[in-house]
Amino acid sequence: MKKNKMFYALVLCVLFISYVVSAQRGIEKQNIKVLYVGFNPKLERPTTSKFFNANSDRARLDVISRWPAFMLYLNTRFTNVQAVDAREFKEEMSLDYDVTIIDELTTSIKEAVIEKDAEGNVTKYLPAAYLSGNYKSATIFVGKVGPDMGQSIGSKLDWSCLCLSGDAYNVKTEHPIFNTPEKVDLTFTTKKTPSNFYHYPNSSTIPKEIPSWRVQGLDFKNSDYQIGMVSRGAGFLDSPDTEYISGGDNTKSMDAVAIGRHGNLFLWGFSASPDYMTDEAQKVFSNAIVYMKNFNGVSLVAKKMNDRIKIRDSYLFFKNRDVTQENFNEFKSKWLKYKKKDFDRKKELEAKIANGEKLNKFQQSFLDKMEPIPTLDSWLPKQIGEDMYKKFGADINGYLSYLNTNKEYLIATDNDIIVDEDVKKLGVSNRKIELLENAVSLLDKGGKKAKLGKRVLDRYTEQSFTTTAEYKTWLTTNKDRLFFTESGGYKWLVNTVK
């Protein structure tokens, strides 16, 4: 049966590839050198994958079909196309090409670092590195690979969710990839807006129905096809080196990035190889390759080194929505319903004890490990953090008022957001340029004021000058090019984008 299924799938694959070839006839080739990085079907088939069952029929088919499908498609549209197996890829190879397309995860150049304490809690984590910090080649990540490939070098094309199907939403049709060198008339179908979009910030402006552009014929919703990737929308556009081009049908938010760019890196989060792309998507993907040639040799300006960094406005939205007495009551009600059998069992055992019966070790262990009924005081620290709980106790309104009143002074730590008391003393938002101006003006005042100014400058810039004059010169010279990024570490950086 499996052999028959594979044979049938391969026949379909051949038909699809034939269709791709015929569909591309007569297209003028672009004078661009393209390197494709995938799994070469002539080499040993991968038997493991972090993304899917590598031994499934679909995975076996994809290993056979994706490489030739991409090569046929690319060779009909570009003058110089080469390919390398992902396991043999070295980033230096990309230097000989205008654009690199990475379709499968490459071999890491540095393994992940995970350190734990005696209780098993992770105390240090550094992601595996697949590219070096010097990587500037124009690159398109297809589907699932982007977050792993770019995390160690600060890419904003991070992992929000491996949950993208084949429909694109909120498409920026004015963008060049839809218009040049080939004008693509996109076909839109009105669809019901996914309900999960309304659980995120700015949901009140999202209509009940939205235009949908179909990118691929098969996806994980209508078959066993690969799942696509979306990156976090919160903070994505807070630096000049990024572009949000399209969202998509995913289980997260409307602003999650399905197609977008950060510096020299481009996310095509949809999973299809060209043989399963729609005609329109094939044209758009080709345009994207042409577009990305413009960013070959470009560096990332705002680097997102902590992919889980808290973004202020999003953080406040969820805290104001979730940290309420009503939500605790609902949580407690559901917890009691879920634990009903345990409490019934507890009553039975306690009745035995009351009657003078002795419990066996299993019964006694059950009682000893029985969780207490949740209280507001046990629930709140997990929602607001131990430090805030020590400060406000069960005063939810006091906590929320504190956050919202000090909104402009918030700064992210490794795992949370706190009020920057230094910025609060200055009384100016840390996302206004006046913060730096005030801090520089304090440097000449000496004593505590000078130390305050230096702490703020050290915290919010990447400069480490030794004199006031140097800071003044830097600020005056770059004032019109400075921007504030939260996803890039709550820093004021200089816009080096030309």
Side-chain angles (χ1 to χ4, degrees):
M1 180 63 72
K2 283 189 176 182
K3 288 184 177 180
N4 290 337
K5 286 182 178 179
M6 284 297 295
F7 176 78
Y8 178 71
L10 287 171
V11 171
L12 286 177
C13 177
V14 171
L15 291 175
F16 273 126
I17 292 175
S18 298
Y19 168 74
V20 170
V21 174
S22 63
Q24 307 306 322
R25 287 173 183 165
I27 293 176
E28 182 179 354
K29 288 187 177 184
Q30 299 295 316
N31 186 25
I32 294 179
K33 294 183 289 184
V34 180
L35 176 65
Y36 171 74
V37 182
F39 286 149
N40 187 341
K42 294 182 180 179
L43 301 181
E44 183 178 358
R45 182 179 65 82
T47 56
T48 60
S49 171
K50 65 175 289 186
F51 303 109
F52 51 82
N53 178 7
N55 293 312
S56 68
D57 287 346
R58 166 55 60 187
R60 292 171 184 272
L61 172 59
D62 283 349
V63 169
I64 295 172
S65 67
R66 288 185 75 90
W67 175 291
F70 264 105
M71 291 303 290
L72 286 168
Y73 165 83
L74 293 170
N75 275 302
T76 59
R77 290 179 171 269
F78 301 98
T79 56
N80 187 338
V81 178
Q82 298 296 326
V84 62
D85 188 87
R87 293 159 290 186
E88 299 175 351
F89 172 76
K90 306 292 182 185
E91 66 179 60
E92 295 80 11
M93 298 175 179
S94 294
L95 296 175
D96 295 327
Y97 298 88
D98 299 311
V99 179
T100 298
I101 300 170
I102 299 184
D103 188 36
E104 298 291 351
L105 196 61
T106 63
T107 301
S108 64
I109 59 175
K110 188 176 182 181
E111 293 301 311
V113 175
I114 303 176
E115 296 179 2
K116 299 181 180 180
D117 59 22
E119 286 73 40
N121 301 309
V122 176
T123 57
K124 182 180 179 180
Y125 171 73
L126 295 175
Y130 296 86
L131 300 170
S132 74
N134 297 320
Y135 188 76
K136 298 180 182 180
S137 298
T139 300
I140 297 177
F141 297 132
V142 178
K144 58 192 178 294
V145 302
D148 285 306
M149 292 296 303
Q151 185 177 1
S152 68
I153 60 174
S155 169
K156 289 187 178 183
L157 306 177
D158 59 11
W159 187 308
S160 175
C161 186
L162 187 65
C163 58
L164 178 64
S165 70
D167 288 319
Y169 299 151
N170 199 26
V171 181
K172 307 304 181 185
T173 56
E174 70 279 6
H175 194 275
I177 71 168
F178 303 109
N179 296 283
T180 185
E182 187 173 5
K183 172 68 176 175
V184 186
D185 295 320
L186 303 183
T187 302
F188 287 96
T189 303
T190 300
K191 292 192 175 183
K192 183 178 179 180
T193 302
S195 59
N196 50 277
F197 285 3
Y198 295 104
H199 300 157
Y200 290 84
N202 304 316
S203 58
S204 60
T205 62
I206 300 176
K208 299 301 180 184
E209 294 183 329
I210 50 178
S212 172
W213 172 52
R214 190 66 178 167
V215 177
Q216 57 193 70
L218 293 184
D219 61 29
F220 76 94
K221 286 189 172 182
N222 62 22
S223 71
D224 60 349
Y225 202 73
Q226 289 190 28
I227 308 172
M229 178 72 71
V230 290
S231 297
R232 294 179 178 88
F236 185 78
L237 290 174
D238 71 5
S239 60
D241 55 348
T242 56
E243 294 181 279
Y244 172 99
I245 301 172
S246 172
D249 182 10
N250 70 94
T251 61
K252 294 292 186 177
S253 62
M254 180 73 159
D255 67 350
V257 184
I259 303 177
R261 180 184 66 85
H262 183 200
N264 59 309
L265 307 176
F266 188 95
L267 173 66
W268 182 274
F270 296 95
S271 62
S273 51
D275 44 340
Y276 291 107
M277 292 180 188
T278 62
D279 291 349
E280 294 170 4
Q282 289 178 14
K283 296 173 183 177
V284 173
F285 189 84
S286 177
N287 285 348
I289 295 172
V290 176
Y291 181 68
M292 281 306 295
K293 181 181 178 181
N294 300 316
F295 302 97
N296 200 21
V298 169
S299 299
L300 302 180
V301 179
K303 295 183 178 182
K304 188 177 185 180
M305 302 311 298
N306 175 7
D307 69 329
R308 297 182 181 275
I309 193 168
K310 307 291 185 185
I311 304 303
R312 175 182 353 218
D313 292 333
S314 178
Y315 178 88
L316 288 173
F317 170 84
F318 288 115
K319 290 302 180 185
N320 284 300
R321 186 194 69 177
D322 297 340
V323 184
T324 65
Q325 180 70 50
E326 291 73 21
N327 273 358
F328 167 68
N329 293 341
E330 182 179 356
F331 166 79
K332 181 178 177 180
S333 176
K334 290 181 178 178
W335 188 91
L336 289 171
K337 184 177 180 180
Y338 178 74
K339 294 285 188 177
K340 184 180 183 304
K341 289 184 178 180
D342 287 348
F343 277 97
D344 290 343
R345 178 62 173 158
K346 180 184 178 185
K347 287 181 181 179
E348 292 176 4
L349 295 177
E350 288 175 338
K352 288 179 179 289
I353 295 174
N355 290 331
E357 297 182 41
K358 186 176 181 180
L359 303 182
N360 62 41
K361 63 178 181 180
F362 299 107
Q363 293 170 328
Q364 188 60 53
S365 176
F366 175 84
L367 280 184
D368 292 341
K369 294 179 180 179
M370 186 72 182
E371 295 179 63
I373 296 175
T375 64
L376 190 60
D377 287 316
S378 66
W379 179 79
L380 262 180
K382 299 175 182 178
Q383 312 304 314
I384 69 176
E386 292 290 347
D387 289 340
M388 286 293 101
Y389 179 72
K390 289 177 183 177
K391 186 179 183 70
F392 293 99
D395 183 7
I396 292 177
N397 291 332
Y399 163 72
L400 294 176
S401 175
Y402 173 77
L403 278 186
N404 290 292
T405 300
N406 293 285
K407 175 180 179 179
E408 295 305 320
Y409 314 134
L410 297 178
I411 186 172
T413 62
D414 288 341
N415 301 306
D416 204 358
I417 277 184
I418 62 172
V419 173
D420 187 334
E421 296 296 339
D422 285 338
V423 176
K424 188 175 180 179
K425 286 179 183 177
L426 295 178
V428 60
S429 171
N430 56 11
R431 46 185 170 183
K432 288 186 177 181
I433 193 69
E434 287 81 7
L435 174 73
L436 302 186
E437 295 173 335
N438 288 3
V440 170
S441 71
L442 293 176
L443 296 178
D444 285 332
K445 296 186 181 298
K448 292 182 179 180
K449 290 185 177 180
K451 290 180 180 179
L452 170 60
K454 188 63 167 66
R455 283 199 306 272
V456 169
L457 292 168
D458 287 345
R459 192 172 300 145
Y460 289 96
T461 76
E462 295 185 333
Q463 312 309 314
S464 56
F465 300 124
T466 57
T467 67
T468 304
E470 289 175 302
Y471 274 111
K472 287 182 176 178
T473 300
W474 173 79
L475 185 57
T476 301
T477 303
N478 297 296
K479 185 175 180 180
D480 293 337
R481 295 192 297 153
L482 285 167
F483 68 93
F484 184 69
T485 171
E486 294 185 8
S487 63
Y490 284 69
K491 296 288 186 181
W492 281 92
L493 303 176
V494 177
N495 178 11
T496 56
V497 176
K498 295 180 181 179

PDB file of all heavy atoms in Angstrom, residues 431-454:
ATOM      1  N   ARG A 431      11.617  56.560  24.924  1.00  0.00           N
ATOM      2  CA  ARG A 431      11.536  56.468  23.468  1.00  0.00           C
ATOM      3  C   ARG A 431      11.421  57.854  22.821  1.00  0.00           C
ATOM      4  O   ARG A 431      10.949  57.985  21.695  1.00  0.00           O
ATOM      5  CB  ARG A 431      10.381  55.561  23.037  1.00  0.00           C
ATOM      6  CG  ARG A 431       9.046  55.756  23.711  1.00  0.00           C
ATOM      7  CD  ARG A 431       8.072  54.685  23.252  1.00  0.00           C
ATOM      8  NE  ARG A 431       6.834  54.667  24.038  1.00  0.00           N
ATOM      9  CZ  ARG A 431       5.864  53.782  23.870  1.00  0.00           C
ATOM     10  NH1 ARG A 431       5.968  52.850  22.946  1.00  0.00           N
ATOM     11  NH2 ARG A 431       4.776  53.814  24.624  1.00  0.00           N
ATOM     12  N   LYS A 432      11.855  58.882  23.561  1.00  0.00           N
ATOM     13  CA  LYS A 432      11.958  60.231  23.013  1.00  0.00           C
ATOM     14  C   LYS A 432      13.413  60.678  23.049  1.00  0.00           C
ATOM     15  O   LYS A 432      14.130  60.413  24.017  1.00  0.00           O
ATOM     16  CB  LYS A 432      11.087  61.209  23.810  1.00  0.00           C
ATOM     17  CG  LYS A 432       9.591  61.029  23.581  1.00  0.00           C
ATOM     18  CD  LYS A 432       8.794  62.129  24.279  1.00  0.00           C
ATOM     19  CE  LYS A 432       7.298  61.984  23.990  1.00  0.00           C
ATOM     20  NZ  LYS A 432       6.501  63.056  24.646  1.00  0.00           N
ATOM     21  N   ILE A 433      13.838  61.380  22.008  1.00  0.00           N
ATOM     22  CA  ILE A 433      15.238  61.781  21.885  1.00  0.00           C
ATOM     23  C   ILE A 433      15.661  62.702  23.023  1.00  0.00           C
ATOM     24  O   ILE A 433      16.859  62.789  23.365  1.00  0.00           O
ATOM     25  CB  ILE A 433      15.471  62.475  20.517  1.00  0.00           C
ATOM     26  CG1 ILE A 433      16.965  62.614  20.220  1.00  0.00           C
ATOM     27  CG2 ILE A 433      14.773  63.815  20.466  1.00  0.00           C
ATOM     28  CD1 ILE A 433      17.659  61.309  19.954  1.00  0.00           C
ATOM     29  N   GLU A 434      14.667  63.341  23.659  1.00  0.00           N
ATOM     30  CA  GLU A 434      14.982  64.221  24.793  1.00  0.00           C
ATOM     31  C   GLU A 434      15.677  63.470  25.925  1.00  0.00           C
ATOM     32  O   GLU A 434      16.403  64.073  26.725  1.00  0.00           O
ATOM     33  CB  GLU A 434      13.710  64.885  25.323  1.00  0.00           C
ATOM     34  CG  GLU A 434      13.138  65.972  24.431  1.00  0.00           C
ATOM     35  CD  GLU A 434      12.323  65.419  23.282  1.00  0.00           C
ATOM     36  OE1 GLU A 434      12.091  64.176  23.247  1.00  0.00           O
ATOM     37  OE2 GLU A 434      11.915  66.217  22.414  1.00  0.00           O
ATOM     38  N   LEU A 435      15.460  62.173  26.005  1.00  0.00           N
ATOM     39  CA  LEU A 435      16.135  61.384  27.043  1.00  0.00           C
ATOM     40  C   LEU A 435      17.646  61.508  26.908  1.00  0.00           C
ATOM     41  O   LEU A 435      18.355  61.737  27.888  1.00  0.00           O
ATOM     42  CB  LEU A 435      15.722  59.912  26.942  1.00  0.00           C
ATOM     43  CG  LEU A 435      16.473  58.970  27.884  1.00  0.00           C
ATOM     44  CD1 LEU A 435      16.016  59.169  29.315  1.00  0.00           C
ATOM     45  CD2 LEU A 435      16.314  57.520  27.460  1.00  0.00           C
ATOM     46  N   LEU A 436      18.141  61.333  25.678  1.00  0.00           N
ATOM     47  CA  LEU A 436      19.584  61.411  25.455  1.00  0.00           C
ATOM     48  C   LEU A 436      20.088  62.834  25.659  1.00  0.00           C
ATOM     49  O   LEU A 436      21.177  63.044  26.211  1.00  0.00           O
ATOM     50  CB  LEU A 436      19.920  60.921  24.045  1.00  0.00           C
ATOM     51  CG  LEU A 436      19.491  59.498  23.692  1.00  0.00           C
ATOM     52  CD1 LEU A 436      20.026  59.111  22.317  1.00  0.00           C
ATOM     53  CD2 LEU A 436      19.957  58.497  24.736  1.00  0.00           C
ATOM     54  N   GLU A 437      19.317  63.803  25.219  1.00  0.00           N
ATOM     55  CA  GLU A 437      19.721  65.206  25.395  1.00  0.00           C
ATOM     56  C   GLU A 437      19.841  65.548  26.874  1.00  0.00           C
ATOM     57  O   GLU A 437      20.813  66.195  27.299  1.00  0.00           O
ATOM     58  CB  GLU A 437      18.709  66.121  24.703  1.00  0.00           C
ATOM     59  CG  GLU A 437      18.681  65.954  23.184  1.00  0.00           C
ATOM     60  CD  GLU A 437      17.564  66.727  22.522  1.00  0.00           C
ATOM     61  OE1 GLU A 437      16.531  67.001  23.196  1.00  0.00           O
ATOM     62  OE2 GLU A 437      17.704  67.057  21.333  1.00  0.00           O
ATOM     63  N   ASN A 438      18.863  65.130  27.665  1.00  0.00           N
ATOM     64  CA  ASN A 438      18.900  65.391  29.103  1.00  0.00           C
ATOM     65  C   ASN A 438      20.080  64.678  29.770  1.00  0.00           C
ATOM     66  O   ASN A 438      20.743  65.232  30.654  1.00  0.00           O
ATOM     67  CB  ASN A 438      17.597  64.945  29.762  1.00  0.00           C
ATOM     68  CG  ASN A 438      16.436  65.859  29.424  1.00  0.00           C
ATOM     69  OD1 ASN A 438      16.586  66.800  28.647  1.00  0.00           O
ATOM     70  ND2 ASN A 438      15.271  65.592  29.975  1.00  0.00           N
ATOM     71  N   ALA A 439      20.304  63.430  29.356  1.00  0.00           N
ATOM     72  CA  ALA A 439      21.398  62.659  29.949  1.00  0.00           C
ATOM     73  C   ALA A 439      22.745  63.298  29.654  1.00  0.00           C
ATOM     74  O   ALA A 439      23.610  63.395  30.534  1.00  0.00           O
ATOM     75  CB  ALA A 439      21.357  61.221  29.431  1.00  0.00           C
ATOM     76  N   VAL A 440      22.954  63.754  28.416  1.00  0.00           N
ATOM     77  CA  VAL A 440      24.212  64.399  28.045  1.00  0.00           C
ATOM     78  C   VAL A 440      24.395  65.694  28.827  1.00  0.00           C
ATOM     79  O   VAL A 440      25.510  66.016  29.279  1.00  0.00           O
ATOM     80  CB  VAL A 440      24.267  64.666  26.522  1.00  0.00           C
ATOM     81  CG1 VAL A 440      25.464  65.564  26.179  1.00  0.00           C
ATOM     82  CG2 VAL A 440      24.364  63.351  25.756  1.00  0.00           C
ATOM     83  N   SER A 441      23.298  66.444  29.030  1.00  0.00           N
ATOM     84  CA  SER A 441      23.393  67.717  29.748  1.00  0.00           C
ATOM     85  C   SER A 441      23.801  67.525  31.204  1.00  0.00           C
ATOM     86  O   SER A 441      24.324  68.453  31.842  1.00  0.00           O
ATOM     87  CB  SER A 441      22.061  68.466  29.684  1.00  0.00           C
ATOM     88  OG  SER A 441      21.071  67.821  30.481  1.00  0.00           O
ATOM     89  N   LEU A 442      23.569  66.321  31.754  1.00  0.00           N
ATOM     90  CA  LEU A 442      23.919  66.055  33.149  1.00  0.00           C
ATOM     91  C   LEU A 442      25.399  65.743  33.349  1.00  0.00           C
ATOM     92  O   LEU A 442      25.910  65.820  34.469  1.00  0.00           O
ATOM     93  CB  LEU A 442      23.094  64.879  33.687  1.00  0.00           C
ATOM     94  CG  LEU A 442      21.586  65.095  33.842  1.00  0.00           C
ATOM     95  CD1 LEU A 442      20.922  63.791  34.284  1.00  0.00           C
ATOM     96  CD2 LEU A 442      21.296  66.193  34.844  1.00  0.00           C
ATOM     97  N   LEU A 443      26.083  65.376  32.271  1.00  0.00           N
ATOM     98  CA  LEU A 443      27.465  64.911  32.400  1.00  0.00           C
ATOM     99  C   LEU A 443      28.394  65.961  32.995  1.00  0.00           C
ATOM    100  O   LEU A 443      29.352  65.627  33.703  1.00  0.00           O
ATOM    101  CB  LEU A 443      27.988  64.447  31.034  1.00  0.00           C
ATOM    102  CG  LEU A 443      27.277  63.235  30.423  1.00  0.00           C
ATOM    103  CD1 LEU A 443      27.873  62.917  29.053  1.00  0.00           C
ATOM    104  CD2 LEU A 443      27.371  62.015  31.335  1.00  0.00           C
ATOM    105  N   ASP A 444      28.144  67.223  32.700  1.00  0.00           N
ATOM    106  CA  ASP A 444      29.015  68.294  33.194  1.00  0.00           C
ATOM    107  C   ASP A 444      28.633  68.787  34.591  1.00  0.00           C
ATOM    108  O   ASP A 444      29.320  69.649  35.154  1.00  0.00           O
ATOM    109  CB  ASP A 444      28.978  69.494  32.231  1.00  0.00           C
ATOM    110  CG  ASP A 444      29.782  69.218  30.971  1.00  0.00           C
ATOM    111  OD1 ASP A 444      30.745  68.424  31.036  1.00  0.00           O
ATOM    112  OD2 ASP A 444      29.433  69.776  29.913  1.00  0.00           O
ATOM    113  N   LYS A 445      27.577  68.262  35.158  1.00  0.00           N
ATOM    114  CA  LYS A 445      27.098  68.750  36.450  1.00  0.00           C
ATOM    115  C   LYS A 445      27.808  68.078  37.623  1.00  0.00           C
ATOM    116  O   LYS A 445      27.682  68.499  38.778  1.00  0.00           O
ATOM    117  CB  LYS A 445      25.586  68.561  36.561  1.00  0.00           C
ATOM    118  CG  LYS A 445      24.805  69.385  35.549  1.00  0.00           C
ATOM    119  CD  LYS A 445      23.326  69.297  35.768  1.00  0.00           C
ATOM    120  CE  LYS A 445      22.561  70.111  34.735  1.00  0.00           C
ATOM    121  NZ  LYS A 445      22.866  71.556  34.772  1.00  0.00           N
ATOM    122  N   GLY A 446      28.529  67.000  37.338  1.00  0.00           N
ATOM    123  CA  GLY A 446      29.293  66.339  38.381  1.00  0.00           C
ATOM    124  C   GLY A 446      28.428  65.567  39.362  1.00  0.00           C
ATOM    125  O   GLY A 446      27.194  65.630  39.342  1.00  0.00           O
ATOM    126  N   GLY A 447      29.088  64.797  40.225  1.00  0.00           N
ATOM    127  CA  GLY A 447      28.410  64.080  41.291  1.00  0.00           C
ATOM    128  C   GLY A 447      27.357  63.092  40.810  1.00  0.00           C
ATOM    129  O   GLY A 447      27.501  62.429  39.782  1.00  0.00           O
ATOM    130  N   LYS A 448      26.261  62.998  41.587  1.00  0.00           N
ATOM    131  CA  LYS A 448      25.195  62.030  41.311  1.00  0.00           C
ATOM    132  C   LYS A 448      24.507  62.294  39.976  1.00  0.00           C
ATOM    133  O   LYS A 448      24.099  61.365  39.283  1.00  0.00           O
ATOM    134  CB  LYS A 448      24.175  62.047  42.438  1.00  0.00           C
ATOM    135  CG  LYS A 448      24.692  61.503  43.765  1.00  0.00           C
ATOM    136  CD  LYS A 448      23.601  61.503  44.820  1.00  0.00           C
ATOM    137  CE  LYS A 448      24.117  60.935  46.137  1.00  0.00           C
ATOM    138  NZ  LYS A 448      23.061  60.931  47.187  1.00  0.00           N
ATOM    139  N   LYS A 449      24.393  63.577  39.616  1.00  0.00           N
ATOM    140  CA  LYS A 449      23.721  63.896  38.351  1.00  0.00           C
ATOM    141  C   LYS A 449      24.525  63.390  37.159  1.00  0.00           C
ATOM    142  O   LYS A 449      23.967  62.850  36.204  1.00  0.00           O
ATOM    143  CB  LYS A 449      23.494  65.400  38.258  1.00  0.00           C
ATOM    144  CG  LYS A 449      22.440  65.923  39.220  1.00  0.00           C
ATOM    145  CD  LYS A 449      22.178  67.408  38.997  1.00  0.00           C
ATOM    146  CE  LYS A 449      21.062  67.892  39.934  1.00  0.00           C
ATOM    147  NZ  LYS A 449      20.776  69.332  39.732  1.00  0.00           N
ATOM    148  N   ALA A 450      25.829  63.563  37.217  1.00  0.00           N
ATOM    149  CA  ALA A 450      26.684  63.077  36.125  1.00  0.00           C
ATOM    150  C   ALA A 450      26.629  61.553  36.029  1.00  0.00           C
ATOM    151  O   ALA A 450      26.586  60.977  34.933  1.00  0.00           O
ATOM    152  CB  ALA A 450      28.115  63.547  36.333  1.00  0.00           C
ATOM    153  N   LYS A 451      26.636  60.905  37.195  1.00  0.00           N
ATOM    154  CA  LYS A 451      26.563  59.441  37.201  1.00  0.00           C
ATOM    155  C   LYS A 451      25.227  58.957  36.638  1.00  0.00           C
ATOM    156  O   LYS A 451      25.173  57.960  35.922  1.00  0.00           O
ATOM    157  CB  LYS A 451      26.754  58.919  38.628  1.00  0.00           C
ATOM    158  CG  LYS A 451      28.175  59.089  39.148  1.00  0.00           C
ATOM    159  CD  LYS A 451      28.304  58.554  40.568  1.00  0.00           C
ATOM    160  CE  LYS A 451      29.737  58.728  41.087  1.00  0.00           C
ATOM    161  NZ  LYS A 451      29.863  58.233  42.485  1.00  0.00           N
ATOM    162  N   LEU A 452      24.143  59.677  36.964  1.00  0.00           N
ATOM    163  CA  LEU A 452      22.836  59.333  36.421  1.00  0.00           C
ATOM    164  C   LEU A 452      22.831  59.446  34.904  1.00  0.00           C
ATOM    165  O   LEU A 452      22.364  58.542  34.198  1.00  0.00           O
ATOM    166  CB  LEU A 452      21.768  60.255  37.025  1.00  0.00           C
ATOM    167  CG  LEU A 452      20.363  60.195  36.409  1.00  0.00           C
ATOM    168  CD1 LEU A 452      19.778  58.789  36.535  1.00  0.00           C
ATOM    169  CD2 LEU A 452      19.444  61.225  37.061  1.00  0.00           C
ATOM    170  N   GLY A 453      23.369  60.557  34.390  1.00  0.00           N
ATOM    171  CA  GLY A 453      23.421  60.750  32.946  1.00  0.00           C
ATOM    172  C   GLY A 453      24.225  59.671  32.248  1.00  0.00           C
ATOM    173  O   GLY A 453      23.828  59.162  31.202  1.00  0.00           O
ATOM    174  N   LYS A 454      25.358  59.290  32.865  1.00  0.00           N
ATOM    175  CA  LYS A 454      26.221  58.259  32.252  1.00  0.00           C
ATOM    176  C   LYS A 454      25.528  56.909  32.271  1.00  0.00           C
ATOM    177  O   LYS A 454      25.619  56.138  31.291  1.00  0.00           O
ATOM    178  CB  LYS A 454      27.546  58.179  33.016  1.00  0.00           C
ATOM    179  CG  LYS A 454      28.591  57.267  32.349  1.00  0.00           C
ATOM    180  CD  LYS A 454      28.994  57.797  30.982  1.00  0.00           C
ATOM    181  CE  LYS A 454      30.243  57.108  30.443  1.00  0.00           C
ATOM    182  NZ  LYS A 454      30.065  55.696  30.147  1.00  0.00           N
TER     183      LYS A 454
END
